Amino acid sequence: MYQHSQQNLAGIKRKLQRPAENAEWNPAVIETVQPHDEEATETARKHYFGPAQFYCVETICAPCGVVIGWDKFAKSESPTKILNFLNAMYPTQDSRPDYICIDKACLVLQTSLTNNSWDMWSQTTRFIVDSYHHTNHSADDKLCSTWCNPPPTDGSAPNLVVLAKDKKGIFYWKRAFNTQACEQLNSWLGGFESILKHMTIGNFITQSMWLKSKK
């Protein structure tokens, strides 16, 4: 007699989800870890016998976790593409936030300085690195540590840190916002990776718009 135990149900879930499944008609994909403070390179395809996949889906989240916008990045997540995405999402000065938190903030800042778009962004916005990735950035990078530090205690960004008190009555500096909202969203989306990566472009966009309308 079949037993509906937690162990059996967990095994069935693993069989159904199969997050590492790769269909026979798809070539094996070997993922490499891209350092967040280094420029991404586009990988050339050896053949076109398998269906193409987008490099990533870029999302913009509010600190509370609400998704503000998203876009598909075809071949890489370059700072130029990120700036174009931000320009499309925030076309006017009134619509731009005071801070934009992103793992590649220092690269985005360098690129904006190079292409002269910083003259526009500097009037309203500051690019900072999220706290999850900031520890992996080089401490010798003065531009990153000075301008993209998420919890500065030098008074340069008083809206990013607040003075709080612990249970013993001792004061300490505390981050005022959740800078890991997008990373938490990505972690949640990872559970649906096996479904999303097999969708066509049309189905992906339709499903994403449906989910957005349900919020």
Side-chain angles (χ1 to χ4, degrees):
M1 184 175 178
Y2 186 82
Q3 296 181 358
H4 296 279
S5 63
Q6 290 292 335
Q7 291 81 0
N8 288 332
L9 292 177
I12 292 174
K13 289 180 180 179
R14 285 195 296 270
K15 291 180 180 179
L16 291 176
Q17 292 177 350
R18 292 181 288 183
E21 178 187 20
N22 193 63
E24 295 180 359
W25 56 84
N26 282 331
V29 178
I30 301 176
E31 296 184 356
T32 57
V33 178
Q34 172 66 36
H36 294 282
D37 54 351
E38 294 182 9
E39 183 66 69
T41 57
E42 295 188 2
T43 303
R45 299 184 63 189
K46 296 182 178 179
H47 58 78
Y48 294 87
F49 296 107
Q53 296 182 0
F54 278 82
Y55 179 82
C56 70
V57 175
E58 196 82 358
T59 57
I60 298 179
C61 293
C64 61
V66 174
V67 179
I68 299 175
W70 63 274
D71 194 10
K72 305 183 300 296
F73 282 21
K75 298 180 180 180
S76 67
E77 189 188 17
S78 68
T80 301
K81 292 181 180 179
I82 293 174
L83 281 171
N84 292 337
F85 176 41
L86 293 175
N87 287 329
M89 288 298 304
Y90 304 108
T92 63
Q93 289 189 359
D94 294 338
S95 63
R96 296 181 198 129
D98 295 334
Y99 299 97
I100 291 180
C101 185
I102 187 171
D103 52 4
K104 297 181 178 179
C106 45
L107 283 180
V108 174
L109 177 57
Q110 292 175 5
T111 303
S112 65
L113 289 170
T114 302
N115 62 19
N116 297 323
S117 63
W118 181 240
D119 294 338
M120 174 189 66
W121 281 101
S122 63
Q123 300 178 25
T124 58
T125 307
R126 178 170 176 174
F127 297 129
I128 60 174
V129 181
D130 65 280
S131 57
Y132 179 77
H133 293 103
H134 186 258
T135 56
N136 296 328
H137 284 227
S138 175
D140 297 330
D141 189 343
K142 296 301 181 182
L143 185 143
C144 181
S145 59
T146 303
W147 298 102
C148 302
N149 185 9
T153 56
D154 58 357
S156 60
N159 293 328
L160 292 180
V161 290
V162 293
L163 197 60
K165 184 186 296 185
D166 61 13
K167 295 180 179 179
K168 296 181 180 180
I170 301 175
F171 288 95
Y172 68 98
W173 290 108
K174 176 183 177 181
R175 294 186 181 92
F177 301 100
N178 178 21
T179 62
Q180 301 181 27
C182 280
E183 293 299 330
Q184 293 165 354
L185 173 68
N186 292 339
S187 177
W188 177 78
L189 287 175
F192 303 92
E193 181 180 0
S194 59
I195 299 174
L196 297 175
K197 70 179 182 181
H198 288 96
M199 281 186 173
T200 62
I201 297 176
N203 287 342
F204 183 87
I205 296 176
T206 302
Q207 182 69 12
S208 300
M209 295 302 293
W210 181 82
L211 289 173
K212 185 177 180 180
S213 65
K214 295 298 180 181
K215 291 184 179 180

